[in-house]
Amino acid sequence: MAQQQTGSRKRKAPAVEAGAESSPSQGLAAADGEGPLLLKRQRRPATCRSMVHYLKVREVGGWGPAGLQGFDGEMRGYAVQRLPELLTERQLDLGTLNKVFASQWLNSRQVVCGTKCNTLFVVDVQSGHITRIPLLRDREARLAQDQQGCGIHAIELNPSKTLLATGGENPNSLAIYQLPTLDPLCLGDRHGHKDWIFAVAWLSDTVAVSGSRDGTVALWRMDPDKFDDTVAWHSEVGLPVYAHIRPKDVEAIPRAIINPSNRKVRALACGAKNQELGAVSLDGYFHLWKAQSTLSRLLSIRLPYFRDNVCLTYCDDMSVYAVGSHSHVSFLDLRQGQQNIRPLCSREGGTGVRSLSFYRHIITVGTGQGSLLFYDIRAQKFLEERASATLESSSGPSGRKLRLACGRGWLNHNDFWVNYFGGMEVFPNALYTHCYNWPEMKLFVAGGPLPAGLHGNYAGLWS
């Protein structure tokens, strides 16, 4: 029995997983007017500061593109602060899959995910149906057999959402799929990384950068038109055929004086306006690269909190990078040449910041303790719970930090669980990934237990 084996908890403490992050939001669709309707433009109603009113206006298409422009901008800023406290959770059943490390919205009801057990799948958040996507195999398939146990740590869509980048069957290789069909396009398995890919970022619709545990970043260029002749389905055996490509440039992270052997690239984020690429390495440094036809390193900065730097995001509106670490989020405004925004402390028992995303001036923090926190970078404070639950209430904040606690998910009651955790029934899930669907005000969150030896998963739709 589990209760009879609690003495074995004196064994060596288990390792902790380092999760992945990604989180761009979906585009905002506009309503179109036709013919005579343009001549009978309706008068814009008085501004109503009601979230329910705002959502209903969005649902029916509002007052057309011109009428919505001012109102929508005003209300979106209001909504981004009020939405978190309105969200409620519906857990999704992922069966026995192990730890979701990466996720992205494909459309209004489908999310693509990658797991530690090296499974790429699409989940329908309405029906719960799961569709597994075949992984792309190296030309030298034997190389992939030596890389079991890593999983898929990164999934990113290009700006036009026509291509998806992630890991292959061999986690050292970069796989590219076409959207919306998810047909394979190409696989970067030639002269690329020698260790697991931990991060991917798109610089444009056809240029992506990958970061690896081998301490390198690689620049890849994809031209779907050139691959048309190689991407097809074999008529006899039904196997996908795809191109095998090599990177245009590979650059190594500089070795630090302190901890020089731990320069693994853990996260990437792109500042598209300046064609810049931010990278975080596990030796506690932030690196900035100029990304054009090749990669040119501009600077390297020692981070103020350098333990477990595993996630990175970029705010286009404020030109600020945010780095998640063991217990803090550090902000880098490189226009000022210094860190002029004070770091925030997650105060979640030192379990680490596991996922980050920006929307306007609000940063969402997924922690290792199964909770979501929300920080206003302009006010430099966490969002707080409202004293009253009434949407129309004008009462101020309660003084309590707004914290959304995620559900239990599923945990495999294996020998590791019994021996090291004494059969503990409730175990918090690390939130390794989250992504917003802002047009429909939905948030997908996923992860799994933090210790490396535990097998389990969590996924939830907050809406």
Side-chain angles (χ1 to χ4, degrees), residues 225-247:
D225 293 335
K226 292 183 179 180
F227 299 150
D228 282 346
D229 295 334
T230 61
V231 180
W233 290 90
H234 197 286
S235 59
E236 296 180 1
V237 295
L239 295 176
V241 178
Y242 41 85
H244 296 263
I245 64 173
R246 65 177 66 191

Side-chain angles (χ1 to χ4, degrees), residues 168-237:
E169 183 181 76
N170 177 358
N172 303 357
S173 301
L174 181 72
I176 306 296
Y177 295 83
Q178 298 182 94
L179 294 177
T181 61
L182 283 169
D183 289 338
L185 179 69
C186 59
L187 180 69
D189 60 347
R190 301 174 58 201
H191 309 290
H193 297 297
K194 297 179 175 61
D195 210 334
W196 306 342
I197 290 176
F198 269 156
V200 177
W202 286 93
L203 302 176
S204 69
D205 266 346
T206 58
V207 178
V209 176
S210 55
S212 168
R213 203 171 71 154
D214 65 5
T216 65
V217 289
L219 186 143
W220 309 81
R221 190 176 301 276
M222 277 69 64
D223 189 346
D225 293 335
K226 292 183 179 180
F227 299 150
D228 282 346
D229 295 334
T230 61
V231 180
W233 290 90
H234 197 286
S235 59
E236 296 180 1
V237 295

Side-chain angles (χ1 to χ4, degrees), residues 276-306:
E276 293 176 349
L277 179 77
V280 169
S281 51
L282 286 182
D283 58 3
Y285 277 82
F286 170 86
H287 310 274
L288 187 67
W289 304 77
K290 192 70 173 179
Q292 294 177 328
S293 57
T294 59
L295 294 169
S296 175
R297 187 171 60 89
L298 300 176
L299 57 85
S300 295
I301 302 173
R302 177 73 166 170
L303 293 166
Y305 301 96
F306 45 82

Side-chain angles (χ1 to χ4, degrees), residues 263-426:
R263 56 184 182 131
K264 304 169 183 175
V265 180
R266 197 60 193 83
L268 298 172
C270 177
K273 289 188 293 187
N274 299 320
Q275 291 186 307
E276 293 176 349
L277 179 77
V280 169
S281 51
L282 286 182
D283 58 3
Y285 277 82
F286 170 86
H287 310 274
L288 187 67
W289 304 77
K290 192 70 173 179
Q292 294 177 328
S293 57
T294 59
L295 294 169
S296 175
R297 187 171 60 89
L298 300 176
L299 57 85
S300 295
I301 302 173
R302 177 73 166 170
L303 293 166
Y305 301 96
F306 45 82
R307 184 180 175 189
D308 290 345
N309 294 300
V310 297
C311 50
L312 173 70
T313 189
Y314 180 76
C315 177
D316 284 304
D317 292 340
M318 305 183 71
S319 299
V320 170
Y321 289 92
V323 183
S325 65
H326 186 65
S327 55
H328 291 81
V329 177
S330 304
F331 299 100
L332 300 172
D333 185 351
L334 302 178
R335 297 170 302 173
Q336 305 297 325
Q338 59 184 354
Q339 180 182 314
N340 59 348
I341 304 173
R342 70 172 184 264
L344 69 89
C345 179
S346 69
R347 296 175 183 172
E348 289 288 307
T351 56
V353 176
R354 300 292 155 176
S355 58
L356 290 173
S357 69
F358 261 119
Y359 188 76
R360 297 204 166 195
H361 57 284
I362 301 296
I363 187 168
T364 303
V365 181
T367 74
Q369 284 285 80
S371 61
L372 291 165
L373 306 174
F374 307 89
Y375 189 80
D376 186 334
I377 192 174
R378 293 191 308 199
Q380 297 196 35
K381 65 178 184 179
F382 286 98
L383 298 188
E384 297 179 352
E385 296 178 0
R386 291 278 171 175
S388 172
T390 304
L391 289 175
E392 301 289 349
S393 173
S394 59
S395 60
S398 65
R400 298 185 301 271
K401 184 192 303 182
L402 178 61
R403 177 180 179 272
L404 300 184
C406 294
R408 294 175 58 177
W410 171 79
L411 182 65
N412 188 0
H413 296 172
N414 54 16
D415 291 340
F416 185 91
W417 169 73
V418 172
N419 294 336
Y420 284 100
F421 298 95
M424 185 169 60
E425 289 291 338
V426 179

Side-chain angles (χ1 to χ4, degrees), residues 111-179:
V111 179
V112 59
C113 303
T115 71
K116 183 183 178 182
C117 54
N118 223 35
T119 301
L120 183 67
F121 68 93
V122 174
V123 57
D124 187 314
V125 297
Q126 292 186 18
S127 67
H129 179 73
I130 291 176
T131 304
R132 298 198 179 205
I133 308 301
L135 298 179
L136 306 192
R137 183 172 298 180
D138 284 5
R139 182 170 290 171
E140 300 290 337
R142 59 181 178 82
L143 298 177
Q145 298 175 359
D146 300 328
Q147 300 291 342
Q148 299 300 318
C150 164
I152 297 171
H153 286 265
I155 298 174
E156 292 292 338
L157 277 60
N158 68 347
S160 66
K161 296 178 175 54
T162 55
L163 297 176
L164 178 149
T166 185
E169 183 181 76
N170 177 358
N172 303 357
S173 301
L174 181 72
I176 306 296
Y177 295 83
Q178 298 182 94
L179 294 177

